[in-house]
Amino acid sequence: MIIANTIQEVRAHVYGWKKYHTIGFVPTMGYLHEGHLSLIERSVAENAKTIVSIFVNPMQFSPTEDLDKYPRDLESDKAMCRKAGANLIFYPQVEEIYPKDFYSYVDMEGLTKELCGKTRANHFRGVCTVVNKLFNIVAADRAYFGQKDAQQLAVIKKMVRDLNMDIEIIGCPIIREVDGLAKSSRNSYLSLEERKAAQVVSQAIFKGEELVKSGEISAKNIIESMTKIVQTEPLAKIDYIEIVDLDTLEKIQEVTKPTLGAVAIYIGKTRLIDNFAVY
Ligand code: PAF
């Protein structure tokens, strides 16, 4: 497995591979867990070559967010990538991606302003910009993203459509802990007590999904039931619980078409997101 720190190195390898092979790409911020692993394994199964990027992208963090304490463990990440069969890790320094004279951004109206966009101003501008750059560097045929970040997945799919980017975006299922908590690098922030409290997040998601599957169409009723579950936990504070259109991410009153039930909930200081999608 190759470790490339510069854009030039990545391009030199990709240039050779592109002629004969399909390339799958898994963009990450490192501190890999089974969720990432499932993306890498899928890419390895579907492509001749798999590239994983590990880059904690400063542009998608606001000044009050957790950039400095974002967890990192390159050695463990390398071992996981190697075991999963990745061919190359792109591990650039910040200056490689954002040189001093960097002035160009990719931004999006509409769905970036919903859900997490309401409290995380500029987050999706940072995500769109870095993903665009990474796509240009890696020149993959397919890129793999987790459904756990449902809004990010919808935004990337829209960006690729809007800008006619020549890459296929593949969304992969949420991977959960035994008690239901969606796998996330940020779970490592939780104390033992908070980790236990965090169960209400997935419990609310499962309840919402169960209600929809049993025929409940009122978004209000679904949100109320989900809210009640979260409110049983004193350490939990709701950022949002919403029922939205799966494509536009706009709020809906009734579940009659593909729908996303999405939550962001603080457990102590840690903000956790989770969701269910019905098609
Ligand atoms: O999902 C993530 O880890 C990041 O948002 C991504 C897609 C790697 C962009 O920095």
Side-chain angles (χ1 to χ4, degrees):
M1 189 181 64
I2 302 154
I3 313 285
N5 299 116
T6 67
I7 295 166
Q8 204 184 355
E9 279 170 85
V10 177
R11 287 218 165 115
H13 291 288
V14 167
Y15 183 77
W17 291 344
K18 270 298 244 196
K19 289 183 199 143
Y20 310 105
H21 301 297
T22 56
I23 299 179
F25 176 43
V26 183
T28 81
M29 299 207 299
Y31 211 68
L32 305 181
H33 49 67
E34 283 88 344
H36 299 109
L37 198 61
S38 72
L39 307 180
I40 301 169
E41 284 172 351
R42 174 114 181 239
S43 173
V44 169
E46 294 180 355
N47 301 279
K49 300 285 180 189
T50 288
I51 299 178
V52 179
S53 65
I54 298 178
F55 179 63
V56 182
N57 174 35
M59 201 191 282
Q60 69 190 71
F61 290 77
S62 80
T64 57
E65 288 179 346
D66 54 346
L67 174 62
D68 290 341
K69 65 173 180 126
Y70 197 83
R72 297 163 202 245
D73 188 346
L74 184 60
E75 288 316 307
S76 153
D77 291 349
K78 278 188 199 163
M80 281 179 86
C81 288
R82 191 172 290 117
K83 195 157 163 257
N87 302 91
L88 185 148
I89 293 180
F90 179 38
Y91 179 66
Q93 294 301 302
V94 174
E95 308 75 57
E96 182 71 5
I97 299 295
Y98 301 121
K100 279 202 179 62
D101 58 348
F102 183 86
Y103 291 128
S104 305
Y105 302 89
V106 180
D107 208 351
M108 188 185 295
E109 302 294 324
L111 59 173
T112 58
K113 308 290 178 266
E114 309 291 339
L115 302 174
C116 294
K118 288 179 188 159
T119 49
R120 303 191 73 193
N122 289 331
H123 169 69
F124 288 108
R125 182 173 95 142
V127 171
C128 286
T129 302
V130 83
V131 169
N132 220 297
K133 282 173 68 76
L134 292 168
F135 283 179
N136 286 336
I137 295 163
V138 166
D141 300 278
R142 304 188 182 98
Y144 297 80
F145 291 84
Q147 175 68 35
K148 149 105 187 333
D149 294 299
Q151 185 171 16
Q152 170 171 280
L153 177 60
V155 166
I156 304 281
K157 281 185 174 165
K158 182 89 176 85
M159 175 180 80
V160 165
R161 275 202 309 277
D162 282 355
L163 302 181
N164 308 100
M165 300 170 79
D166 190 14
I167 188 163
E168 187 185 351
I169 303 302
I170 297 170
C172 303
I174 298 175
I175 306 293
R176 298 182 178 280
E177 304 283 357
V178 185
D179 68 353
L181 181 68
K183 300 252 183 193
S184 164
S185 307
R186 289 189 167 100
N187 292 350
S188 65
Y189 298 153
L190 299 168
S191 68
L192 269 180
E193 196 193 3
E194 289 169 344
R195 173 64 190 80
K196 201 156 165 279
Q199 284 182 30
V200 289
V201 180
S202 57
Q203 281 165 2
I205 289 299
F206 297 151
K207 181 70 186 175
E209 189 171 19
E210 179 195 309
L211 285 171
V212 173
K213 287 194 170 148
S214 64
E216 176 63 80
I217 60 163
S218 157
K220 186 167 168 282
N221 290 351
I222 299 164
I223 292 170
E224 265 172 28
S225 298
M226 293 170 73
T227 304
K228 272 191 196 138
I229 291 178
V230 179
Q231 284 173 341
T232 59
E233 177 49 64
L235 291 178
K237 195 173 138 268
I238 297 169
D239 180 355
Y240 64 75
I241 298 183
E242 286 192 26
I243 301 293
V244 299
D245 180 290
L246 188 59
D247 293 316
T248 65
L249 305 183
E250 282 165 10
K251 277 189 194 175
I252 52 172
Q253 309 295 325
E254 291 191 343
V255 180
T256 52
K257 51 188 173 181
T259 297
L260 180 74
V263 308
I265 291 163
Y266 283 95
I267 302 291
K269 287 200 171 87
T270 305
R271 185 173 177 280
L272 301 176
I273 56 171
D274 200 349
N275 66 80
F276 66 91
V278 279
Y279 300 92

